[in-house]
Amino acid sequence: NLRIATQGADGIWRSSKAGSDSDGLVRTTTTHFSDWSLVAGAQLRPGAADVGLNQTQELTVLICGRGDDASIPGEMQHFACESDGSIPLATDGWAVNGVAAGNAAVGTLSGSDTPQRSVRTYRAPAALPAQNPVAVSVRYDDPFDEIDGPTQLIANLTVIDPQAGCEWLKGVNT
């Protein structure tokens, strides 16, 4: 679901259908020099956030559509992500640092999927976790992609102690 795309003068993001990531690399071919960016078909948002001890952060799986570009054969158009979190697909395996649904040491996940929406609420632990930031992950299976199989989506949440002052900021730029 990860592709390399360029934005045209018309504001539309386009990528080659020929892009490949089967070996862990994303590739494309081009006939022009342009600014290029990685674009994802599905995302766990926010991708990163700070969460205070015992505080919560909502996480949503968003689908960013793509389809054939009728004006340029062999290329695909990329569309905006669905901001309401509606999804026509399956997600499962929500975890925090690899622990299903999390635990008291790394934080917990609550909530459940509906047929159109995949959202979880992360609750930070009462004490700073040993591995910080924590990685919240979910498996996403695109029903229209029979080749690649499930994709792991990840959000990195930094648990902070608001009572500790600004000490946690010292390493931000390193």
Side-chain angles (χ1 to χ4, degrees):
N1 296 298
L2 190 63
R3 296 189 181 271
I4 298 173
T6 186
Q7 189 174 32
D10 57 5
I12 296 174
W13 284 90
R14 292 183 172 87
S15 68
S16 170
K17 285 185 178 181
S20 170
D21 62 355
S22 61
D23 58 357
L25 300 175
V26 182
R27 299 180 179 93
T28 194
T29 56
T30 184
T31 58
H32 57 88
F33 289 106
S34 300
D35 290 328
W36 294 80
S37 179
L38 293 173
V39 291
Q43 300 174 11
L44 182 56
R45 288 205 187 157
D50 292 338
V51 185
L53 295 175
N54 286 316
Q55 298 300 306
T56 62
Q57 173 68 53
E58 186 175 90
L59 297 154
T60 305
V61 175
L62 296 179
I63 302 307
C64 308
R66 64 178 184 245
D68 290 338
D69 188 339
S71 65
I72 305 174
E75 292 200 4
M76 301 183 82
Q77 287 186 2
H78 294 267
F79 310 104
C81 299
E82 295 292 331
S83 61
D84 66 355
S86 62
I87 53 168
L89 52 86
T91 60
D92 67 355
W94 284 87
V96 182
N97 284 356
V99 177
N103 61 28
V106 295
T108 58
L109 294 169
S110 61
S112 61
D113 292 344
T114 67
Q116 285 78 36
R117 196 158 155 78
S118 187
V119 177
R120 292 294 185 278
T121 300
Y122 169 78
R123 177 167 295 279
L128 294 176
Q131 181 182 337
N132 199 12
V134 296
V136 176
S137 60
V138 60
R139 277 189 310 270
Y140 145 81
D141 194 8
D142 185 341
F144 304 107
D145 186 351
E146 298 173 2
I147 297 170
D148 294 329
T151 300
Q152 193 84 357
L153 305 176
I154 298 173
N156 292 302
L157 304 179
T158 302
V159 180
I160 60 171
D161 182 356
Q163 303 301 317
C166 295
E167 289 297 312
W168 63 276
L169 279 172
K170 285 184 178 178
V172 169
N173 283 332
T174 60

